[in-house]
Amino acid sequence: MKRQQLALFIGLSLSALSATTLSTTAFASQASDPQAVFNQAYQSYLAAVKADENVQQTAKLAYTSGKAVYGKSDDNTANLAINYAKAIKGYGDELNEQRFALYDEAHTILAANHGKQSIETVDALLGQANYTTSAYKAANFLEQVIGIAKTQNNPKFVADMKLEAATLLAKKFSSKKYREAKNYLEEADEYYQENLPENSLERIKADFLMASFAEGRKRYNQAIERLNRIVTVFDSNLNFDHSAELSAHSKLIGLYEKQGKSDEATKHCLAIAQMVPWKESQEQTPLYRVNPKYPVNKARFSTDGRVVMEFEVDAAGFVKNPKVLSSEGGSAFEKSAKAALEQWRYAPKFENGKPVSAISQVQLDFKINRH
């Protein structure tokens, strides 16, 4: 197994921060000195980021106290708003609206102070694009970002912003902005292939997204070519395991199985097995799965089912000898569960550097949609 290192970030460059516990009691005695309150709040925020604990709380206090010091139109207020937006944790429309409002406030300030085409507005525009609910608005924000990048006389920066745009549009608005995302990605990918080494993070990110687009169009060979290139880069250039390499192996298993090329998939099952040790204490995660079909003869009764099965994962990661340990709902569910499970693939257990057979269990639940 290769030496473990910190994982590189694969995805959007917008990062969420985290922070340390902030004592508000100390501020009570300094309430008459807003600058002192802010100074302490901001230092607490910096310490929180470093410790990666409670960043949201400290970022909010730094933002509110800083705004009282600098006012509503200062760059510092804009930057504190961006910090706070990035620090907000969780999901949901309400939180996204809160993030968007902070990025919108920051953009208004920075655009007024530096101009709408200024480089200072890029982070706020990316934040607005990421948290708007409108595909049209997101595309407009990203178009502004790319326009600003083009004024910087830096072709790589332009390519990076196109990759950001492609990633965001593909992730959140693919049904409405597929063509724009695809065009941005192809332009960024062309620049990277001509100007960056094969082991650059940008090329790896572009390869992943190109593979996703190809798979979505059922161009499996194109997707496989991209993902195999990622695997080759890690095997040839890096001496440590990486989450991106693991993800590439996993996606290749699914693509090969879709093509009926189980032998090719096996190579990647074995590669993952050497990267991720088998854990006897927990249920194994399938690398490729086929969902069981809800039995037709049970549909009119609106019956839910459950099947717990024990099975062997052989040295190549195939499922062998599935046995029903318990079930609810009847034999039809057992038959469907077994038929699905026999198509699954796993990373086999390794002992003394060699793959061996091992026993695992899984529970399959059947629920009918009653709406």
Side-chain angles (χ1 to χ4, degrees):
M1 184 179 296
K2 293 180 284 185
R3 181 170 55 89
Q4 292 287 344
Q5 297 258 329
L6 291 177
L8 297 173
F9 177 66
I10 297 293
L12 288 176
S13 63
L14 296 174
S15 58
L17 302 174
S18 310
T20 94
T21 303
L22 178 66
S23 173
T24 56
T25 56
F27 296 141
S29 62
Q30 301 180 37
S32 60
D33 186 352
Q35 183 67 60
V37 172
F38 168 70
N39 289 344
Q40 184 167 345
Y42 190 67
Q43 289 304 313
S44 295
Y45 163 72
L46 295 178
V49 172
K50 186 175 181 180
D52 193 22
E53 295 178 356
N54 302 327
V55 178
Q56 182 173 336
Q57 179 186 356
T58 54
K60 180 180 181 179
L61 189 53
Y63 162 68
T64 55
S65 60
K67 193 172 185 177
V69 172
Y70 296 111
K72 298 180 179 180
S73 304
D74 192 89
D75 280 10
N76 287 313
T77 299
N79 292 330
L80 289 167
I82 291 174
N83 288 346
Y84 179 28
K86 291 181 177 180
I88 295 172
K89 292 184 177 181
Y91 303 94
D93 293 342
E94 186 175 343
L95 291 176
N96 286 341
E97 288 173 6
Q98 187 178 358
R99 294 180 179 103
F100 181 86
L102 289 163
Y103 281 117
D104 187 56
E105 177 187 3
H107 180 259
T108 299
I109 295 170
L110 296 169
N113 293 346
H114 302 278
K116 291 184 177 181
Q117 289 294 305
S118 64
I119 190 71
E120 288 83 358
T121 64
V122 166
D123 204 15
L125 284 167
L126 287 173
Q128 287 176 297
N130 199 37
Y131 292 108
T132 182
T133 57
S134 166
Y136 172 80
K137 289 182 179 179
N140 182 261
F141 291 136
L142 294 168
E143 186 177 353
Q144 291 180 61
V145 168
I146 293 168
I148 293 168
K150 290 178 178 178
T151 68
Q152 300 301 303
N153 194 30
N154 183 342
K156 183 180 180 300
F157 182 45
V158 175
D160 290 345
M161 292 302 98
K162 287 181 177 179
L163 180 59
E164 291 280 354
T167 303
L168 194 155
L169 291 175
K171 178 182 178 182
K172 299 191 69 175
F173 304 106
S174 60
S175 62
K176 296 181 179 179
K177 293 297 177 181
Y178 174 87
R179 185 171 297 278
E180 288 95 327
K182 179 174 176 290
N183 289 342
Y184 284 143
L185 175 59
E186 289 176 345
E187 291 167 4
D189 181 64
E190 181 179 1
Y191 174 84
Y192 292 148
Q193 290 203 53
E194 291 177 357
N195 295 279
L196 299 184
E198 65 175 8
N199 63 341
S200 64
L201 178 59
E202 295 87 350
R203 283 193 62 174
I204 292 171
K205 290 165 70 176
D207 279 337
F208 264 115
L209 197 52
M210 290 290 286
S212 294
F213 271 88
E215 183 178 2
R217 290 173 287 170
K218 296 186 177 180
R219 297 178 179 176
Y220 298 143
N221 287 334
Q222 291 181 15
I224 286 169
E225 180 181 358
R226 290 281 181 165
L227 294 168
N228 270 321
R229 186 161 74 179
I230 294 171
V231 169
T232 300
V233 165
F234 282 100
D235 287 344
S236 303
N237 297 280
L238 301 173
N239 66 342
F240 56 88
D241 291 339
H242 187 284
S243 59
E245 181 184 10
L246 186 67
S247 180
H249 281 300
S250 181
K251 290 178 180 296
L252 282 164
I253 293 166
L255 287 165
Y256 280 128
E257 286 292 346
K258 287 178 180 179
Q259 291 187 318
K261 298 179 179 178
S262 293
D263 289 343
E264 292 293 333
T266 297
K267 300 175 186 177
H268 301 282
C269 290
L270 294 175
I272 291 176
Q274 294 178 77
M275 296 170 69
V276 182
W278 180 281
K279 295 181 180 179
E280 301 283 1
S281 61
Q282 65 186 51
E283 182 178 302
Q284 308 304 311
T285 301
L287 303 175
Y288 173 75
R289 62 173 291 163
V290 174
N291 290 328
K293 295 180 180 180
Y294 188 95
V296 176
N297 63 340
K298 294 289 183 178
R300 66 190 180 95
F301 299 109
S302 297
T303 305
D304 290 341
R306 179 184 65 84
V307 182
V308 178
M309 305 192 76
E310 182 180 83
F311 57 95
E312 175 188 348
V313 176
D314 73 8
F318 289 100
V319 171
K320 302 293 184 182
N321 305 317
K323 299 177 182 178
V324 175
L325 297 181
S326 64
S327 68
E328 295 176 4
S331 60
F333 290 114
E334 296 178 5
K335 183 178 179 181
S336 178
K338 183 178 179 181
L341 184 60
E342 287 175 336
Q343 300 176 69
W344 291 15
R345 299 299 304 272
Y346 284 86
K349 182 179 181 179
F350 262 66
E351 286 185 351
N352 301 319
K354 294 182 179 180
V356 298
S357 295
I359 301 299
S360 188
Q361 293 184 10
V362 69
Q363 176 174 311
L364 298 179
D365 295 307
F366 296 79
K367 294 185 180 296
I368 191 168
N369 187 347
R370 295 180 172 84
H371 300 289

